[in-house]
Amino acid sequence: NAGVMQNPRHLVRRRGQEARLRCSPMKGHSHVYWYRQLPEEGLKFMVYLQKENIIDESGMPKERFSAEFPKEGPSILRIQQVVRGDSAAYFCASSPGPTRHKETQYFGPGTRLLVL
Amino acid sequence: GQQLNQSPQSMFIQEGEDVSMNCTSSSIFNTWLWYKQEPGEGPVLLIALYKAGELTSNGRLTAQFGITRKDSFLNISASIPSDVGIYFCAGQGGNTGKLIFGQGTTLQVKP
C-alpha cells in the first residue's frame, strides 16, 4: 500500500452526522476504487472512479453514500446521516488504469469509521 | 453475483512448516491477486496472476492461476513468525476492474 494515502485513519461520528473520507492515489494513478470491510470479513467493492467520472457504482448503497474524484484533489467518499451499521473500515485502492490484463490495485491504510 | 470461497478459514502452524491455501470461484476471472493484511493496515499485494496456468513466485511465496480460471492457490514455504496475518485472494473478471475478495485465511505461526 505504499503511496496511497487515506485520511483520517480513524473517524468517530454520532448517528445522523456526516462522514467524509479522503483518498489520494499513488503518483501517476488515475483510477480509484473504494471498498468496505466489516470485522472478520473480506473487502466488498463499492465504487470505481476515474478523474471526474464514476465508472462503476454497483456496490454503493442507494442512499446516503456518494463518491467523487475531482480533476484536482483527492477522491472523497461521503456518507450522510450515518447509522451504526456504517461502522467499518473503508479502503481506497488505486491503479494506473487498465492495460491488457494488468489492472493491479494498490491499497491505502484505510479509514476506520465508528458510529456511536 | 460472483463469489469466492477461500479455505481454510484459519491455520495455526509451527514455524518452518509449509502452508497452502486456495480460492475457488463460481465464475471465470481474468486476474487473480493475493494480498496480506495485518491488524490496522490495508491489504498489501503479494502476487498478481494474469494468465491461466501461470505459476509465479515471490520469495517463499508461490501462487498459481488455475487452468479453468476459476481457482487459485497460494503456498508459503518454511513459514516464519512474521508471516502471521490474514491472507486474501481476489479475482477480477469484468470490464471495470473491481475486485471480488475471498473471506480470508488467518495464519498464526508458533515459534
Side-chain angles (χ1 to χ4, degrees), chain B residues 14-91:
Chain B
Q14 197 77 32
E15 183 178 0
E17 289 183 356
D18 296 344
V19 170
S20 186
M21 58 192 80
N22 69 85
C23 276
T24 59
S25 168
S26 57
S27 51
I28 289 171
F29 286 113
N30 296 324
T31 302
W32 282 94
L33 304 169
W34 284 92
Y35 290 89
K36 179 187 178 186
Q37 186 178 29
E38 298 187 25
E41 299 297 329
V44 174
L45 181 66
L46 299 174
I47 292 181
L49 302 158
Y50 302 112
K51 194 166 62 173
E54 182 180 355
L55 183 72
T56 297
S57 292
N58 177 9
R60 293 179 295 106
L61 277 59
T62 302
Q64 184 158 30
F65 191 147
I67 288 291
T68 65
R69 295 167 63 194
K70 291 185 177 181
D71 63 302
S72 177
F73 72 74
L74 174 71
N75 287 342
I76 306 173
S77 63
S79 58
I80 59 178
S82 62
D83 290 334
V84 165
I86 304 176
Y87 293 78
F88 289 100
C89 63

Side-chain angles (χ1 to χ4, degrees), chain A residues 7-96:
Chain A
N7 65 84
R9 291 290 303 270
H10 299 272
L11 182 61
V12 179
R13 284 287 179 266
R14 295 192 181 279
R15 281 179 297 168
Q17 291 184 320
E18 178 179 287
R20 278 183 179 245
L21 288 62
R22 287 175 290 278
C23 169
S24 296
M26 284 179 70
K27 187 176 181 180
H29 287 192
S30 58
H31 295 241
V32 165
Y33 299 76
W34 285 93
Y35 294 82
R36 177 164 62 179
Q37 184 179 35
L38 296 172
E40 312 291 326
E41 294 187 9
L43 284 71
K44 297 285 196 296
F45 168 79
M46 299 181 74
V47 63
Y48 165 35
L49 310 104
Q50 296 175 23
K51 285 286 187 181
E52 300 185 280
N53 286 307
I54 296 175
I55 306 303
D56 181 353
E57 56 182 346
S58 59
M60 286 279 269
K62 294 283 185 265
E63 297 177 347
R64 300 187 298 107
F65 284 71
S66 62
E68 62 177 8
F69 189 15
K71 188 176 180 181
E72 301 290 338
S75 175
I76 305 286
L77 179 67
R78 182 182 177 207
I79 311 173
Q80 295 178 288
Q81 298 175 323
V82 296
V83 301
R84 289 210 174 116
D86 296 333
S87 296
Y90 292 83
F91 291 97
C92 165
S94 75
S95 73

